[in-house]
Amino acid sequence: MGRMDGKVVIVTAGAQGIGRTTVEAFAKEGATVYATDINVEKLNELNGVKGVITRKLDVTSNEDVNALAKEIDTVHVLFNCAGWVFNGTLLETQESDWDLSFDINIKSMFRMCKAFIPKMLANGGGNIINMSSAASSIKGVPNRCAYSATKASVIGLTKAIAADYIKKGIRCNCVCPGTVDTPSLRDRIRATGDEEKAVADFIARQPTGELAKADDIANLIVFLASDESKLISGTEVKIDGGWTL
Ligand code: NAD
């Protein structure tokens, strides 16, 4: 028996990193998981995994979101994972960087929730988990101006949804990781030009002395999606190795 037997789950940005590991964790717990992403080639690596259905979905496209909503009538869990880091201070951020950050990181959640909350309501409830970050309203982090503004908005959106729908059986929480060892983190580390120092610096800022693995975050998300957490809604859960203590 899995904790998610009989549940239908949708995950955005499911092709790599935290999204991919969470898709696999939900499937292992018995769910039917719609793994979605813009990167179809990576997504296709999940074809054949028991319980996983892959679909191309760009979270900035209403057309893609509406097409998926047409296909799926019953959904129990929505994990809005898609996000993108624009690296820069306020003065280094162009209006186009700001707008793209908001489109991918938060308006995406508005779109997905608009499409799938009605289906959850028709089904008597549901569960939404949004991806925020420690770099948000929780902590000021250098060179993360637009990113942190979007991730703070995720916390606000999460609480608003939780408040509006708690009496209708929908829970909504968000997770706030510190540094997680994922492909895009490795890209950022390489871009510094001194990989060894960059890794050491990332590790040094988390007092537990290690980077999170995607598994660590996936375990938390499955817990928040399961009935084990049935009394938890409207929270931002920090999972950052003590970075923001
Ligand atoms: P990643 O950055 O390695 O991969 C991101 C995935 O998102 C890719 O598969 C990419 O194709 C997909 N994607 C990008 N734009 C998309 C779009 N428009 N529509 C659909 N999919 C799109 O993954 P990650 O590092 O695990 O990050 C996942 C989430 O976790 C993001 O929201 C990120 O901000 C958040 N997060 C990551 C860390 C970290 O240290 N890695 C820390 C805190 C929060």
Side-chain angles (χ1 to χ4, degrees), residues 13 16 18 37-38 57-59 81 83 131 147 151 178 180 182 184:
Q16 72 174 30
I18 298 165
D37 203 288
I38 35 170
L57 183 141
D58 177 344
V59 293
C81 181
M131 178 55 81
Y147 180 78
K151 293 299 190 182
V180 190
T182 63
S184 70

Side-chain angles (χ1 to χ4, degrees), residues 12 15 41 43 61 64 76 91 108 115 146-147 150 156 176 178 194 211 220 232 237:
T12 67
E41 207 182 311
L43 201 54
S61 160
D64 284 5
H76 301 97
L91 293 181
S108 58
Y147 180 78
T150 66
C176 305
D194 186 346
L211 300 178
L220 171 62
I232 302 178
V237 184

Side-chain angles (χ1 to χ4, degrees), residues 1-4 7 26 29 77 127 171 173 218-233:
M1 277 264 298
R3 280 181 292 172
M4 303 302 294
K7 303 288 187 196
F26 275 129
E29 291 286 349
V77 177
N127 199 314
R171 292 193 289 125
N173 292 288
N219 289 339
L220 171 62
I221 289 157
V222 172
F223 167 72
L224 288 172
S226 76
D227 289 343
E228 287 173 5
S229 63
K230 63 182 191 295
L231 295 184
I232 302 178
S233 193

Side-chain angles (χ1 to χ4, degrees), residues 12-19 36-39 42 57-60 80-85 104-105 109 131-134 147 151 175-185 188 214:
T12 67
Q16 72 174 30
I18 298 165
T36 71
D37 203 288
I38 35 170
N39 187 339
K42 275 247 141 237
L57 183 141
D58 177 344
V59 293
T60 67
N80 287 312
C81 181
W84 173 68
V85 175
I104 296 176
N105 294 3
M109 296 180 182
M131 178 55 81
S132 180
S133 172
Y147 180 78
K151 293 299 190 182
V175 296
C176 305
T179 307
V180 190
D181 201 349
T182 63
S184 70
L185 179 80
R188 289 194 289 282

